[in-house]
């Protein structure tokens, strides 16, 4: 069985700039619980793009001095208020990759 931190790292490093993944999405991919993923992301944040991992409601991470929103904005991630606009991201991805709608 793969080390949980290694499993989270393996998924997190695949999140491209301008995209995000939820703690739950990483949990699903790794077989872990979302809270466990959150703790692991905090523990290994120096080796992964931690700012691209968000809560299911679109709220970015609050660690690292609250810099996640600014880092995501630099990558052109859309926001509605203080949350990532997951619908806009999904629509943008579908426009970029026709035929891959879920």
């Amino acid at each position: 069985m793969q080390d949980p931190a290694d499993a989270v790292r393996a998924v997190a490093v695949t999140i491209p700039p301008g995209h995000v993944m939820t703690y739950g999405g990483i949990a699903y991919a790794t077989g872990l619980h979302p809270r466990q993923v959150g703790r692991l992301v905090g523990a290994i944040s120096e080796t992964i793009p931690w700012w691209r991992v968000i809560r299911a409601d679109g709220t970015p991470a609050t660690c690292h001095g609250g810099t996640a929103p600014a880092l995501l904005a630099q990558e052109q991630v859309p926001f509605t208020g203080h949350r990532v606009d997951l619908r806009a991201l999904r629509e943008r991805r579908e426009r970029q990759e026709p035929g891959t709608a879920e």
Side-chain angles (χ1 to χ4, degrees):
M1 179 175 188
Q2 187 175 23
D3 175 69
D6 290 339
V8 169
R9 184 179 295 107
V11 174
V13 298
T14 67
I15 306 168
H19 296 266
V20 297
M21 191 170 203
T22 64
Y23 293 103
I26 293 176
Y28 181 80
T30 59
L32 302 171
H33 190 278
R35 289 184 189 259
Q36 186 178 13
V37 170
R39 284 191 296 274
L40 290 167
V41 165
I44 63 173
S45 66
E46 298 306 318
T47 63
I48 62 169
W50 58 269
W51 61 94
R52 296 181 191 141
V53 184
I54 64 170
R55 294 182 184 156
D57 68 357
T59 303
T62 56
C63 57
H64 295 276
T67 57
L71 292 168
L72 291 169
Q74 288 175 359
E75 296 181 354
Q76 317 313 282
V77 172
F79 278 79
T80 297
H82 297 290
R83 295 180 180 169
V84 171
D85 189 338
L86 295 170
R87 179 177 296 158
L89 268 179
R90 190 170 31 254
E91 290 170 355
R92 181 172 74 186
R93 185 181 67 231
E94 289 171 358
R95 281 193 308 272
Q96 291 171 345
E97 302 170 9
T100 60
E102 297 171 344

